[in-house]
Amino acid sequence: MHFKTYRIFFLLVYLISFNLSFMIAQHQPVKIEDIRDEKEFIAYLTQKGLYREALLAYDQLPLNFKNNDIQDSLSYFAGWSHYNLKNLLKSAHYLDKVNKSSVFFPKAHFYSSYNYAFMGKYDIAKNKFKANTWDNELHEELKYFELSGIALLEGDFQSYQKHSENFTYKHYSLKNEEVLFDSVYQNMINFKPKSMVLAGVMSSLLPGSGKVYAGKLGEGVTAFLVTSILGAITAENYFKAGPTNYKTIIFGSLFTIFYIGNIYGSVFSIKLYREEFRMTHEHKILFNLHIPLRQVFY
Amino acid sequence: MNIKFYLIFIFLCARFSIDGQEQVFSKADSLYNTGEFQLAALEYERAIYLANNNRIINAARFKKSNCYKQLGDHGKALDELGQISLFTIKDSARFKVFKEQAIVGYLGGEFSLSYSKIRQIENLKAGNDYIQNLWPFKILVLNEMHEWDKSRETLKGHAPEIMDNENFQLLLEMYENPPGLKNPSTAKWLSYVPGLGHLYAGYPLEGMASFTINLAFLSFGAYQIYLGYYLTGYFIGAGGLSEFFFGSRARAGYLVEKKNHQRVREYNNRIKEILLGNIKMDL
């Protein structure tokens, strides 16, 4: 063969081998060892508190691998990262993927259920808690503690009494919160919602008294002073200048507006009073549902 | 000729027989170069995770801070730089860290931090050559800190050799006339005459409106009392007057602060424009 032919031949060999190695590299099957290493790296990131980076690493993972242990761990890390970034729905979605056989299952299960409770999805949270029975005494009591908290959130006092029968008050990570829930329960059943009609009638007779009845002393005094002053000014102008004088009309109109506003405001204050009571206790319950989880699954 | 061809061929094929030296940062650097800063930061963190010596960890932290700087997250960039172990690195590397901290501090609005790093660079022997290029940046930082005297001294110390005389004199003149900052307390005291504090703050129209409103309430109240409408005069006249009077005092103080901020911004921007229009700031 001519030397020229040899050169062409060797160049062709070079080009083909280059392309082949490139194509092979692209279509290598995913190695489990690589995924395991990646899992360790994601664990490191979550331990360091680098949750966004952990989720970014998770998103880079290939989808075509089958290993339940690694899948469970990765789902847990993704769920835990979303939880710390306050993405509760996504957190619950990933934590729900953790299987019962995984070492992360108890923590994933409880936090996922807590996420649903926090988002107001009480039925889902309750069903998840009720779906499992734990051999571990502490976990079993924690389950009833969480269910009792959800019952308080729903205002279902009968269910609270039933679940709280499982309180032992002996586990360090639970006893303070159990005592607190009992106290919250007492507050809630003894709560007197106060009457909107009574507040309105009181304010119509004595401006501001309805707001004082609703527990708003400062607002009640202000309403009384403003309405009384405008009433006094209107009366002064009425008696000195007559009913058709512009000042009587202006101040009379202002007095009417403030007087009616004071009555409406008093009625609305009762609604606010009830709402504030509910919100305060809801925050307290949700916060104290969370503390034992941190203590049990540190 | 034939030998030359075969040698070239062997060289080209040799790449397949060598695994290639694993560059620690090769993937991260290529992501950085293509603008994928978030992913690059992740890969630099991976390098930290896999590293077995401080040199690589420090280099990775430095590069990761660059990623955050590009993403505009100056707080995180400073955090990463702050974690670099300065005791284990040479002066030349320490200088690079200080320089980067000064730049990121400036970008993030932390001018005191930026200035303290500039001072540390000036104390480093390794920063000697760089200090010649540092002075325009130092001026910008000092201006943001309202330290115009120090800024002027820095300008006098370095600019004459580099800047043209006209712009140098223009800057000196500007430093002789720093922005006249007014005192919010003075505005509040002046507002005992309604509207005078606003005038002092540089808002004459608002001052006139404040004066008019206060005068209207005072006149109304006085006239009503004169006519025998005591309740109307007292509650509407005096009540309205007290609300607007004290309100306009507080407003005058706020307007002075607002005006001061505006003046400082305009002044600093003008200096920046002249400075950067005449010299190349090589950081």
Side-chain angles (χ1 to χ4, degrees):
Chain A
M1 260 206 258
H2 281 280
F3 176 67
K4 198 174 172 183
T5 317
Y6 276 122
R7 280 201 296 193
I8 295 166
F9 172 73
F10 279 123
L11 274 168
L12 274 172
V13 164
Y14 171 76
L15 283 168
I16 290 166
S17 57
F18 174 78
N19 276 304
L20 259 177
S21 70
F22 183 72
M23 279 163 58
I24 288 166
Q26 289 276 299
H27 293 95
Q28 281 286 352
V30 172
K31 289 186 191 167
I32 283 299
E33 294 77 31
D34 292 342
I35 303 293
R36 208 184 302 277
D37 290 342
E38 201 60 21
K39 182 204 81 172
E40 295 302 321
F41 177 54
I42 292 173
Y44 156 84
L45 289 171
T46 51
Q47 271 156 23
K48 276 194 82 175
L50 298 172
Y51 300 114
R52 282 189 211 285
E53 284 80 356
L55 289 170
L56 197 57
Y58 179 85
D59 288 339
Q60 303 301 308
L61 289 171
L63 300 169
N64 57 340
F65 75 93
K66 298 248 183 286
N67 183 302
N68 284 340
D69 281 345
I70 299 176
Q71 287 278 21
D72 285 341
S73 301
L74 289 170
S75 296
Y76 164 74
F77 291 130
W80 186 242
S81 298
H82 275 299
Y83 174 79
N84 281 282
L85 293 173
K86 315 248 185 299
N87 304 325
L88 297 188
L89 191 60
K90 282 187 179 171
S91 172
H93 166 74
Y94 284 106
L95 292 174
D96 283 347
K97 289 182 173 183
V98 179
N99 285 307
K100 274 193 177 175
S101 53
S102 168
V103 67
F104 295 118
F105 177 72
K107 184 175 176 182
H109 169 81
F110 276 98
Y111 270 96
S112 164
S113 309
Y114 172 77
N115 285 344
Y116 285 117
F118 196 93
M119 290 188 288
K121 297 178 196 261
Y122 300 135
D123 286 338
I124 300 175
K126 276 191 302 192
N127 291 337
K128 284 179 70 62
F129 278 126
K130 285 176 182 170
N132 283 288
T133 307
W134 303 93
D135 295 329
N136 183 311
E137 194 188 295
L138 175 61
H139 290 173
E140 187 68 5
E141 191 174 336
L142 179 62
K143 174 181 99 179
Y144 286 110
F145 172 79
E146 299 288 321
L147 282 167
S148 67
I150 294 171
L152 284 176
L153 287 169
E154 288 182 306
D156 183 357
F157 300 130
Q158 216 172 356
S159 295
Y160 176 80
Q161 279 181 321
K162 190 179 96 183
H163 295 311
S164 64
E165 282 167 10
N166 296 285
F167 290 179
T168 62
Y169 305 97
K170 69 176 188 191
H171 292 291
Y172 172 76
S173 35
L174 278 173
K175 69 178 182 196
N176 288 342
E177 285 70 34
E178 285 170 342
V179 167
L180 190 119
F181 270 11
D182 285 339
S183 145
V184 166
Y185 165 70
Q186 288 302 322
N187 282 348
M188 289 177 85
I189 54 169
N190 294 331
F191 174 63
K192 297 211 178 352
K194 297 194 179 178
S195 165
M196 286 188 187
V197 171
L198 181 57
V201 168
M202 285 174 74
S203 278
S204 63
L205 295 171
L206 179 64
S209 58
K211 288 200 175 181
V212 174
Y213 165 67
K216 307 275 180 199
L217 177 63
E219 282 181 33
V221 169
T222 306
F224 170 76
L225 287 173
V226 170
T227 313
S228 311
I229 287 167
L230 283 171
I233 291 170
T234 305
E236 183 187 57
N237 283 281
Y238 178 85
F239 290 117
K240 287 187 177 171
T244 55
N245 182 269
Y246 76 95
K247 282 187 289 172
T248 310
I249 294 167
I250 290 171
F251 291 120
S253 305
L254 283 173
F255 167 74
T256 309
I257 291 168
F258 275 87
Y259 178 74
I260 293 170
N262 137 75
I263 296 170
Y264 175 76
S266 299
V267 169
F268 193 70
S269 292
I270 298 295
K271 194 176 171 200
L272 272 178
Y273 167 76
R274 292 173 184 173
E275 189 59 22
E276 274 168 11
F277 178 85
R278 189 191 68 79
M279 293 288 294
T280 306
H281 283 80
E282 187 178 292
H283 287 142
K284 202 184 263 190
I285 293 163
L286 285 171
F287 181 72
N288 286 284
L289 274 176
H290 179 242
I291 294 175
L293 295 180
R294 286 283 191 184
Q295 288 177 160
V296 171
F297 303 110
Y298 47 85
Chain B
M1 177 79 163
N2 292 351
I3 295 169
K4 208 167 39 167
F5 172 78
Y6 288 121
L7 283 172
I8 291 168
F9 178 73
I10 289 165
F11 171 75
L12 284 173
C13 288
R15 63 181 294 280
F16 294 106
S17 61
I18 300 169
D19 283 336
Q21 281 193 334
E22 286 290 328
Q23 300 255 350
V24 175
F25 300 129
S26 59
K27 186 176 178 187
D29 287 345
S30 69
L31 284 167
Y32 182 89
N33 291 333
T34 54
E36 302 263 13
F37 302 119
Q38 200 75 262
L39 286 171
L42 178 67
E43 292 306 318
Y44 288 127
E45 185 64 35
R46 189 194 302 280
I48 295 168
Y49 165 68
L50 295 170
N52 52 15
N53 69 69
N54 272 334
R55 192 179 57 82
I56 292 176
I57 291 174
N58 288 337
R61 288 207 188 285
F62 190 86
K63 287 169 180 274
K64 196 179 169 195
S65 79
N66 278 338
C67 296
Y68 288 131
K69 185 173 78 176
Q70 294 295 333
L71 290 166
D73 197 338
H74 303 116
K76 274 189 177 171
L78 283 172
D79 279 343
E80 288 298 327
L81 290 167
Q83 289 181 65
I84 292 173
S85 172
L86 294 172
F87 297 108
T88 59
I89 58 178
K90 291 183 207 172
D91 232 28
S92 55
R94 202 175 297 138
F95 146 74
K96 281 184 188 165
V97 174
F98 289 154
K99 181 180 102 169
E100 197 60 24
Q101 283 175 319
I103 293 168
V104 175
Y106 178 81
L107 290 172
E110 300 208 30
F111 305 117
S112 302
L113 170 74
S114 187
Y115 182 65
S116 75
K117 294 303 162 190
I118 291 171
R119 297 290 292 133
Q120 282 177 302
I121 290 171
E122 287 172 346
N123 290 330
L124 278 180
K125 200 171 160 193
N128 274 346
D129 294 333
Y130 177 70
I131 287 166
Q132 302 308 314
N133 299 331
L134 183 64
W135 65 269
F137 180 58
K138 188 176 174 183
I139 285 175
L140 294 181
V141 172
L142 285 167
N143 280 353
E144 294 295 340
M145 292 169 64
H146 303 182
E147 299 273 9
W148 293 297
D149 289 338
K150 284 185 187 169
S151 189
R152 185 187 54 220
E153 293 313 309
T154 308
L155 181 76
K156 278 183 181 172
H158 292 94
E161 298 144 30
I162 297 162
M163 280 184 81
D164 62 272
N165 192 49
E166 192 190 327
N167 284 306
F168 175 65
Q169 292 302 330
L170 182 61
L171 280 176
L172 274 184
E173 210 178 289
M174 284 190 73
Y175 278 118
E176 295 306 319
N177 300 299
L181 299 184
K182 302 208 171 168
N183 190 341
S185 301
T186 308
K188 286 180 183 172
W189 278 107
L190 285 172
S191 287
Y192 274 108
V193 176
L196 204 55
H198 294 68
L199 197 66
Y200 170 74
Y203 292 86
L205 286 176
E206 201 173 315
M208 275 165 52
S210 172
F211 179 78
T212 307
I213 291 169
N214 280 284
L215 184 65
F217 274 106
L218 179 66
S219 309
F220 178 81
Y223 185 60
Q224 292 301 305
I225 288 170
Y226 171 74
L227 291 177
Y229 294 92
Y230 302 111
L231 292 177
T232 310
Y234 179 72
F235 287 114
I236 303 300
L241 177 67
S242 77
E243 288 298 318
F244 276 91
F245 179 77
F246 290 110
S248 73
R249 284 191 72 219
R251 174 84 181 155
Y254 163 75
L255 287 174
V256 163
E257 282 168 9
K258 184 177 165 189
K259 200 65 162 182
N260 284 347
H261 179 78
Q262 237 172 21
R263 282 188 179 145
V264 166
R265 273 267 57 80
E266 279 165 11
Y267 180 79
N268 283 346
N269 284 345
R270 183 78 187 112
I271 291 179
K272 200 192 292 187
E273 211 177 279
I274 297 171
L275 197 62
L276 298 182
N278 282 275
I279 49 156
K280 189 169 167 257
M281 190 159 69
D282 182 14
L283 291 175

